[in-house]
Amino acid sequence: MKVTLISILVRDQEKALQFYTDKLGFIKKKDEPLGGGNRWLTLVSKDWPDGPELLLEPAPNHFEPSKVYQDALKDAGMPWTQFDVDDVEAEYERLTGLDVEFSVKPTEMGPVKFAILDDTCGNYIQLVQTL
């Protein structure tokens, strides 16, 4: 068994696509129309193009419980998911240069350094570097 797809709830698929590709550097893998303005829209890491796909899931627009959960996580300051990076400080500097907002600046905690960014689509995302 292996993980091949991970969903991130987003309120606007096109806005999320622009953020995750232009700012975070992901690559679009699939973009299939599903009707009603929705798409099966997946991304992959440029460093791991055959790795797990990230599905930009428009559920908060159609399923109220998912919107409530997304809002509760963000209100609590909790990230939706985490992405591993080689150097949190370098990513923080690169992304703040692209006007990405962070709720937590690079912080060391035990064997990791992390930072938390706002994806502009309803989520906090944690960047993690193993020290």
Side-chain angles (χ1 to χ4, degrees), residues 40-127:
W40 184 262
L41 183 56
T42 69
L43 311 174
V44 292
S45 169
K46 68 179 177 184
D47 299 324
W48 195 9
D50 294 324
E53 293 177 50
L54 183 63
L55 174 64
L56 301 179
E57 172 64 62
N61 299 330
H62 312 289
F63 186 60
E64 186 63 24
S66 69
K67 182 178 180 188
V68 170
Y69 179 64
Q70 184 187 38
D71 287 343
L73 279 178
K74 191 151 189 209
D75 289 346
M78 295 177 65
W80 180 268
T81 194
Q82 96 177 21
F83 300 142
D84 289 356
V85 297
D86 292 330
D87 185 335
V88 166
E89 291 283 349
E91 283 298 313
Y92 175 80
E93 292 301 323
R94 183 183 76 79
L95 292 170
T96 55
L98 294 172
D99 298 322
V100 173
E101 293 184 17
F102 281 77
S103 62
V104 176
K105 294 179 180 181
T107 304
E108 281 192 38
M109 186 174 290
V112 299
K113 184 181 281 189
F114 72 97
I116 300 176
L117 64 87
D118 186 335
D119 79 350
T120 74
C121 303
N123 307 295
Y124 286 133
I125 304 295
Q126 183 167 271
L127 303 180

